Amino acid sequence: MAQQATPVRRVRLGKAIGPEPTAVSGVVLLLPGGDEVSHRKPATLLATSYVRTLGRRLMRTGRAEGLVTHVVHYRFRGWNGSDANQVSDALWAADEVVRRYGDVPVCLAGVDMGGRAALRAGGHEAVNSVLAIAPWLPEEDVAASPEPVRQLGGRRVMIVHGTNDERTDPELSFRLAARAKKANRDVCRFEVHSDRHGLQQHRDEVLSLAEDFVMGVLFGRAFSRPVADAFAAPPPLGLRMPLASGFGRRR
């Protein structure tokens, strides 16, 4: 009996989160985490729960401005070394945004391994900004040594990391931010003191920070004072900016 061919997995965009605006003027592509090595199909609900929460928050704030948010559903669960599957999937998703919506600014917003994919894919011509939350940046990786940063030139970049992250080393995201800042002044990084990888202790503040950033980079809203200060401050100050408890509640 002939063996059945293995089905080809394709990257796809999830349905727009919430109702789509009449006219789309900005897009956030949400990049979930994954595994270091795996060719299994990603687990849809659990793997995307954090970015879907972020997408709902952004949609509620930005729909009147024409914002659409989509989760990127990868082909595989793993980064898979030099294949960097999640990067090519993110680049495909940016191409798909251009096909669907035309010439609109795109923000890549990734968590964990999705944060690394967002940073790597930030050079796509449609992307004007990158948000990397608790990004996975292995210290010794044959796929990238050191991790590239030139593609981030001309983009607004924000990295957010918990200081007690036990899964992705916050010191590595600081080092990457410091390298990126040398080539691109529009880089900032916030530290969420005492929070761990899931950033649950200060979840509301992190979501408010993401909202502040996205609405500023996509639609030109004025940044809050802490965000503006983080972009303007020289390193290391703007790369170790503490995220204040209660951020966003008094704006």
Side-chain angles (χ1 to χ4, degrees), residues 189-206:
R189 178 178 171 276
F190 278 79
E191 295 187 334
V192 189
H193 285 291
S194 77
D195 221 337
R196 304 178 71 179
H197 186 68
L199 296 169
Q200 293 300 317
Q201 183 178 346
H202 299 287
R203 172 176 161 175
D204 289 344
E205 287 89 343
V206 172

Side-chain angles (χ1 to χ4, degrees), residues 92-109:
W92 176 91
D95 283 340
E96 180 65 8
V97 165
V98 174
R99 187 189 71 81
R100 292 190 190 187
Y101 302 118
D103 184 19
V104 298
V106 176
C107 176
L108 298 179

